[in-house]
Amino acid sequence: PFYGEDFYCEIPRTFRHLSFYIFDRDVFRRDSIIGKVAIQKEDLQKYHNRDTWFQLQHVDADSEVQGKVHLELRLSEVITDTGVVCHKLATRVLECQGLPIVNGQCDPYATVTLAGPSRQVLHVQELPSEAKKTKVKKKTNNPHFDEVFYFEVTRPSSYNKKSHFDIEDVDEVDKMEIRVDLWNASNLKFGDEFLGELRLPLKFLRQSSSYEAWYFLQPRDNGNKSLKPDDLGSLRLNVVYTEDHVFSSDYYSPLRDLLLKSADVEPVSASAAHILGEVCREKQEAAIPLVRLFLHYGRIVPFISAIANAEVRRTQKLFTSRDPNTIFRGNSLTSKCIDETMKLAGMHYLQVTLKPIIDEICQVHKPCEIDPVKLKDGENLENNRENLRQYVDRIFTVITKSGVSCPTVMCDIFFSLRESAAKRFQGDLDVRYTAVSSFIFLRFFAPAILSPNLFQLTPHHPDPQTSRTLTLISKTIQTLGSLSKSKSANFKESYMATFYDYFNEQKYADAVKNFLDLISSSGRRDHKSIEQPILLKEGFMIKRAQGRKRFGMKNFKKRWFRLTNHEFTYQKSKGDHPLCSIPIENILAVERLEEESFKMKNMFQVIQPERRVLYIQANNCVEAKDWIDILTKVSQCNKKRLTVYHPSAYLNGHWLCCKATADNTPGCTPCTGGLPANIQLDIDGDRETERIYSLFNLYMPKLEKMQEACGSKSVYDGPEEEEYSTFIIDDPKETYKTLKLIIEGVGTLEQEHAQYKRDKFKKTKYGSQEHPIGDKSFQTYIRQQSEISAHSI
């Protein structure tokens, strides 16, 4: 099988193996194990970021060993009455940690054995049986035993003060080993399960007669089972393994401040964040930590606006006749950063929009194949088309009606994309839509429908039939969202072009435009904006006079209401001059109004500064909800939004809800949250800065080359050397300054890391609980450190 799937996972710092298991799913949907690949921690760097084929190993108790054991050994000499020297060994099994849980339980015990030169077990005088055994500890994988076992190594010899042991005796002791086996006490007939073993030669007790340390448990015979290598086949993997040592915040201040300033640097190509995108091999590599860092510090919108503007300018300079539909389509830093932001900030949005219908598609399995060649026996082409059309219609509707749920950060980004595209391509009125649809449809909704498992909408890959249905839906939605003129020409397959005729009506294009208008309208008023106000909603409603005149009735009148992303107005009838205009930034809350206020249904209130309230009645409850949602959406970023409000009106000298008499009394009820203004993300800013430092450090040769390129451009400003032309350098002097600061900041952090490693190396004890004996990765680390310290000496 070819899988071609990516998994990104956090792993604990202390681990010994990264294992991949291959299962076989049988007809009863049970999983039986075929084999596994286990890569040792210290080998991960060896395979880092390259395709490798690994032989599958058998999976059994011997290969599934984990955990560690704490032992104390003491070898003492005893002179008997007859002057004969005996050697007595005391083995103390203190405790174990992290033993595997087998079939949901772990009732461990240990056996201790002394083995002689010919692997024969020495029969010990006190206990004729082969091994000594601890008590069973019930229901724990971290048992405390603290039991001592004595073994006599009896070799009569004359006592020799000079060497404690006679030569022959030394050889004999050297060849012996103590063996500790861990077992899981089983209630089943098959016997107890093996959990791991430890074999220690006694020769190391010659240096010191007592020894106490933690040891990693090993597979039986160290796992050296002779198996034919081609027994089980092999698995191809590409593992990318990174390990970050994150310091406390203050270490990162200089580099972090330099990165966060990126949006304000002129030109943006001279900023630290843009430079990271230039030197990384893949733009994605740079985009992931940058987006997380900027999101964490609330700087993502200005940064993306800056790089998007720069990209549009560059597009226009390079290709004066370029089709504006192709902007933001490449794998540029801008598109990768927007993709990453949508994936992080839009996860909840996808869940509420698409998950219910995708769950239904996965469970119901309606036939939707419309390719005549692929039809199964007994399937009807017309029925299948109808099934697919219904699914597309429903998904299209939930998407185009979901504008009010779109996260604010995404709306703000789409607003700036729309602005920069409209500014640069003033002759093309559609570019303001295509600039946004190329992200929200092509790079967000369509991929989420196609591969719901990658967007956490389903736990697993859908089955082939469901996958085919989702592919057909995704293609259609993508084309509907792209707003291109000749839709049918977009399809290579004639059956798709035929199917698409269902959707060639104007109402679909209008729905897409209305949706794009809503998600790309921002509450942020930009006075430099060239954009015409975007009309979001309009229609007749009834409003109550706001009482601006001292006298006169506060009566109800029918008015034409109009909402744009700049203001909320009403006039006598459509097209008249507005009678009242409320700027969006003056909307402090939009809430329902209790019926008892005016004995009227479907009412809501728009609260403005100085407690002024506009009371409005919509035609029905659906209309009322729509107006409340959309007004909340456009005003949710206003700085002075209220947290409390009065659910009823102020009539006859008091508030009907709380009976307070002063009309300026603060509200008595918390405002409804409305929409999640911004999703709170669990991001560690220091960790992301450490990641960025690691990338800069990795690509240091490129940073230096870029510095050379800046120098060359400043001095000669003539034909560039070929190797320098790969970098975007708009302002060599500014870029050089930033590069200098990056290289200094990275150098300082590198010294801190080196110092930390030296200190850690001095403090670390091999055989301690953190670094048990048998930890190969630690042995490799010790070897490297001793090489480094020898080199520095």
Side-chain angles (χ1 to χ4, degrees):
F2 177 81
Y3 298 111
E5 288 189 52
D6 290 347
F7 295 92
Y8 173 82
C9 41
E10 300 283 326
I11 45 182
R13 189 177 282 281
T14 49
F15 70 97
R16 289 166 68 191
H17 291 93
L18 174 64
S19 301
F20 300 81
Y21 292 82
I22 301 288
F23 292 92
D24 178 34
R25 159 101 20 120
D26 66 16
V27 286
F28 302 109
R29 297 187 76 73
R30 287 181 311 217
D31 297 326
S32 52
I33 202 153
I34 295 175
K36 73 166 184 180
V37 167
I39 308 172
Q40 291 184 325
K41 181 179 184 176
E42 57 274 17
D43 291 340
L44 281 171
Q45 217 47 50
K46 194 160 68 186
Y47 303 116
H48 176 72
N49 209 4
R50 29 182 263 248
D51 277 10
T52 313
W53 283 98
F54 294 91
Q55 290 292 340
L56 290 182
Q57 310 162 1
H58 280 273
V59 176
D60 53 27
D62 289 348
S63 71
E64 292 289 276
V65 168
Q66 62 182 58
K68 50 192 174 184
V69 58
H70 190 186
L71 284 191
E72 191 181 340
L73 300 176
R74 189 182 298 276
L75 186 65
S76 43
E77 293 177 351
V78 182
I79 302 174
T80 59
D81 299 341
T82 55
V84 172
V85 177
C86 299
H87 299 123
K88 203 168 194 180
L89 176 71
T91 304
R92 185 177 179 198
V93 183
L94 288 145
E95 60 182 313
C96 294
Q97 267 187 2
L99 297 177
I101 293 171
V102 184
N103 300 328
Q105 60 121 31
C106 189
D107 298 338
Y109 68 88
T111 60
V112 185
T113 320
L114 182 67
S118 57
R119 315 279 298 147
Q120 294 293 317
V121 172
L122 293 184
H123 284 277
V124 184
Q125 289 164 349
E126 312 99 304
L127 194 89
S129 72
E130 183 178 300
K132 305 191 172 191
K133 183 177 159 185
T134 66
K135 293 190 183 74
V136 174
K137 298 289 178 184
K138 291 279 186 187
K139 295 186 178 149
T140 174
N141 63 339
N142 299 317
H144 281 262
F145 297 113
D146 203 1
E147 294 188 41
V148 186
F149 302 101
Y150 293 98
F151 297 93
E152 277 188 14
V153 186
T154 315
R155 275 242 19 124
S157 67
S158 58
Y159 186 67
N160 176 344
K161 273 210 158 85
K162 210 163 54 193
S163 80
H164 285 265
F165 298 126
D166 176 333
I167 297 301
E168 207 183 338
D169 197 36
V170 168
D171 284 353
E172 207 55 52
V173 172
D174 276 3
K175 287 175 188 164
M176 288 182 191
E177 64 177 19
I178 193 86
R179 192 170 124 195
V180 180
D181 291 86
L182 264 276
W183 299 86
N184 180 27
S186 167
N187 310 326
L188 306 169
K189 295 193 219 58
F190 313 122
D192 299 345
E193 285 119 341
F194 172 75
L195 299 180
E197 71 167 18
L198 180 62
R199 293 185 167 191
L200 297 175
L202 294 192
K203 64 178 171 197
F204 72 87
L205 287 171
R206 275 168 50 198
Q207 279 89 22
S208 104
S209 56
S210 123
Y211 197 79
E212 177 249 338
W214 282 85
Y215 296 86
F216 271 135
L217 288 170
Q218 303 295 343
R220 216 180 322 233
D221 296 328
N222 280 331
N224 297 332
K225 283 181 133 184
S226 54
L227 276 176
K228 295 203 298 293
D230 292 325
D231 247 357
L232 302 169
S234 43
L235 175 67
R236 179 172 148 217
L237 298 169
N238 185 332
V239 180
V240 178
Y241 172 67
T242 52
E243 193 175 283
D244 295 326
H245 293 263
V246 185
F247 292 131
S248 56
S249 240
D250 46 328
Y251 284 87
Y252 296 109
S253 293
L255 184 60
R256 185 176 51 233
D257 295 346
L258 189 62
L259 288 158
L260 292 175
K261 263 196 340 224
S262 293
D264 309 320
V265 173
E266 279 292 331
V268 73
S269 60
S271 69
H274 195 282
I275 288 170
L276 181 68
E278 286 297 289
V279 296
C280 281
R281 201 177 61 172
E282 300 281 339
K283 299 278 187 238
Q284 180 82 354
E285 226 178 349
I288 293 173
L290 283 176
V291 163
R292 296 174 74 90
L293 182 75
F294 285 124
L295 268 172
H296 182 65
Y297 288 101
R299 301 282 296 145
I300 191 72
V301 177
F303 173 64
I304 287 182
S305 302
I307 57 174
N309 273 321
E311 188 178 324
V312 172
R313 273 200 299 277
R314 209 167 289 122
T315 306
Q316 206 183 22
K317 222 182 276 176
L318 293 172
F319 310 96
T320 40
S321 62
R322 181 144 185 194
D323 173 7
N325 291 331
T326 55
I327 55 169
F328 306 130
R329 291 292 171 92
N331 282 334
S332 61
L333 184 63
T334 310
S335 54
K336 288 293 179 197
C337 283
I338 296 173
D339 285 354
E340 202 52 38
T341 307
M342 292 194 300
K343 224 171 178 183
L344 283 169
M347 213 43 104
H348 175 74
Y349 178 36
L350 281 178
Q351 297 282 332
V352 295
T353 313
L354 294 182
K355 190 168 173 30
I357 188 162
I358 284 185
D359 284 346
E360 185 190 317
I361 293 168
C362 292
Q363 284 154 15
V364 178
H365 294 294
K366 274 189 190 170
C368 293
E369 182 54 75
I370 55 170
D371 181 355
V373 181
K374 292 185 179 170
L375 273 191
K376 289 184 187 153
D377 290 346
E379 281 187 0
N380 177 306
L381 188 60
E382 276 313 306
N383 289 351
N384 287 10
R385 270 202 195 125
E386 183 51 27
N387 289 342
L388 185 62
R389 191 190 67 74
Q390 285 180 7
Y391 278 147
V392 170
D393 236 341
R394 283 174 60 196
I395 285 189
F396 178 80
T397 307
V398 296
I399 290 174
T400 50
K401 288 264 189 290
S402 71
V404 290
S405 312
C406 185
T408 313
V409 68
M410 283 167 65
C411 294
D412 285 347
I413 288 170
F414 296 149
F415 173 70
S416 61
L417 291 182
R418 180 185 181 116
E419 282 279 279
S420 59
K423 230 176 248 178
R424 293 286 157 226
F425 301 97
Q426 293 186 14
D428 187 325
L429 293 175
D430 277 344
V431 74
R432 63 196 61 198
Y433 294 117
T434 49
V436 177
S437 72
S438 65
F439 283 102
I440 192 78
F441 280 103
L442 270 65
R443 303 174 84 120
F444 186 64
F445 283 122
I449 296 165
L450 186 65
S451 310
N453 55 311
L454 298 183
F455 290 80
Q456 277 119 56
L457 294 172
T458 56
H460 307 293
H461 241 338
D463 59 81
Q465 184 190 327
T466 308
S467 197
R468 173 70 178 154
T469 301
L470 293 172
T471 304
L472 295 169
I473 296 170
S474 177
K475 277 184 172 184
T476 318
I477 291 291
Q478 191 170 324
T479 311
L480 275 167
S482 69
L483 289 172
S484 58
K485 301 286 185 284
S486 56
K487 296 291 174 64
S488 305
N490 284 4
F491 296 109
K492 292 191 278 292
E493 312 93 339
S494 56
Y495 62 85
M496 280 304 292
T498 315
F499 173 68
Y500 197 82
D501 289 341
Y502 286 128
F503 303 97
N504 246 337
E505 295 175 44
Q506 189 56 36
K507 66 173 186 181
Y508 289 101
D510 291 345
V512 169
K513 285 186 173 176
N514 290 340
F515 168 67
L516 295 175
D517 276 340
L518 179 54
I519 63 168
S520 60
S521 63
S522 169
R524 300 179 303 131
R525 284 294 290 278
D526 181 359
H527 296 296
K528 301 193 294 274
S529 165
I530 61 130
E531 182 67 283
Q532 287 296 309
I534 302 167
L535 176 65
L536 300 173
K537 192 168 174 62
E538 58 181 352
F540 275 116
M541 290 191 288
I542 292 166
K543 64 100 195 168
R544 180 178 187 253
Q546 295 182 77
R548 272 180 283 177
K549 294 178 186 150
R550 196 107 181 255
F551 303 104
M553 295 281 287
K554 290 187 185 171
N555 53 359
F556 287 89
K557 288 186 177 152
K558 189 174 184 180
R559 293 287 181 254
W560 180 260
F561 282 85
R562 200 164 182 276
L563 173 68
T564 72
N565 59 332
H566 291 184
E567 57 185 1
F568 182 44
T569 60
Y570 60 79
Q571 51 232 47
K572 262 194 176 156
S573 51
K574 191 174 181 177
D576 288 359
H577 190 71
L579 299 169
C580 168
S581 164
I582 304 170
I584 293 297
E585 55 265 38
N586 281 359
I587 297 177
L588 306 185
V590 183
E591 296 288 348
R592 293 187 179 281
L593 187 70
E594 285 176 359
E595 230 177 275
E596 62 173 49
S597 300
F598 301 108
K599 306 286 183 279
M600 290 164 73
K601 291 187 172 180
N602 309 322
M603 286 202 73
F604 64 94
Q605 49 183 322
V606 179
I607 306 167
Q608 303 158 64
E610 293 157 14
R611 306 276 162 203
R612 288 189 44 214
V613 186
L614 174 61
Y615 296 119
I616 303 172
Q617 183 188 32
N619 302 322
N620 53 53
C621 59
V622 176
E623 199 59 6
K625 184 184 184 310
D626 276 358
W627 275 104
I628 291 170
D629 282 352
I630 203 162
L631 280 161
T632 304
K633 174 78 189 158
V634 292
S635 62
Q636 69 185 349
C637 291
N638 289 349
K639 298 219 169 18
K640 296 179 180 167
R641 269 188 78 83
L642 297 178
T643 51
V644 288
Y645 77 108
H646 291 287
S648 289
Y650 182 77
L651 293 174
N652 308 326
H654 68 276
W655 290 100
L656 296 180
C657 40
C658 58
K659 306 294 182 269
T661 50
D663 65 349
N664 61 354
T665 309
C668 57
T669 305
C671 285
T672 49
L675 310 144
N678 249 335
I679 311 298
Q680 286 304 305
L681 297 165
D682 181 20
I683 293 173
D684 178 343
D686 299 330
R687 183 177 173 173
E688 301 310 325
T689 317
E690 167 63 31
R691 188 92 293 278
I692 292 169
Y693 147 76
S694 302
L695 287 170
F696 274 138
N697 203 16
L698 177 66
Y699 293 111
M700 187 53 79
K702 276 195 166 182
L703 286 171
E704 287 162 354
K705 183 133 290 139
M706 202 171 175
Q707 251 190 336
E708 281 174 35
C710 288
S712 159
K713 276 192 95 157
S714 299
V715 176
Y716 300 112
D717 205 28
E720 294 179 22
E721 283 191 43
E722 193 55 42
E723 56 181 330
Y724 297 153
S725 61
T726 50
F727 302 119
I728 291 173
I729 301 171
D730 297 320
D731 182 333
K733 279 189 183 157
E734 278 302 312
T735 311
Y736 188 88
K737 273 190 216 161
T738 309
L739 281 161
K740 194 164 177 289
L741 290 169
I742 293 171
I743 291 167
E744 280 169 12
V746 169
T748 309
L749 277 168
E750 202 177 356
Q751 286 170 353
E752 295 291 355
H753 276 288
Q755 187 57 48
Y756 165 78
K757 280 184 178 164
R758 284 196 291 273
D759 293 348
K760 188 180 171 206
F761 179 62
K762 282 178 197 157
K763 289 178 198 156
T764 304
K765 179 173 174 272
Y766 192 41
S768 65
Q769 196 170 346
E770 292 77 37
H771 300 287
I773 293 172
D775 179 356
K776 290 189 184 143
S777 61
F778 182 67
Q779 286 170 307
T780 316
Y781 170 69
I782 284 185
R783 199 168 55 247
Q784 288 168 350
Q785 289 306 312
S786 49
E787 282 165 16
I788 291 168
S789 40
H791 179 68
S792 60
I793 290 162

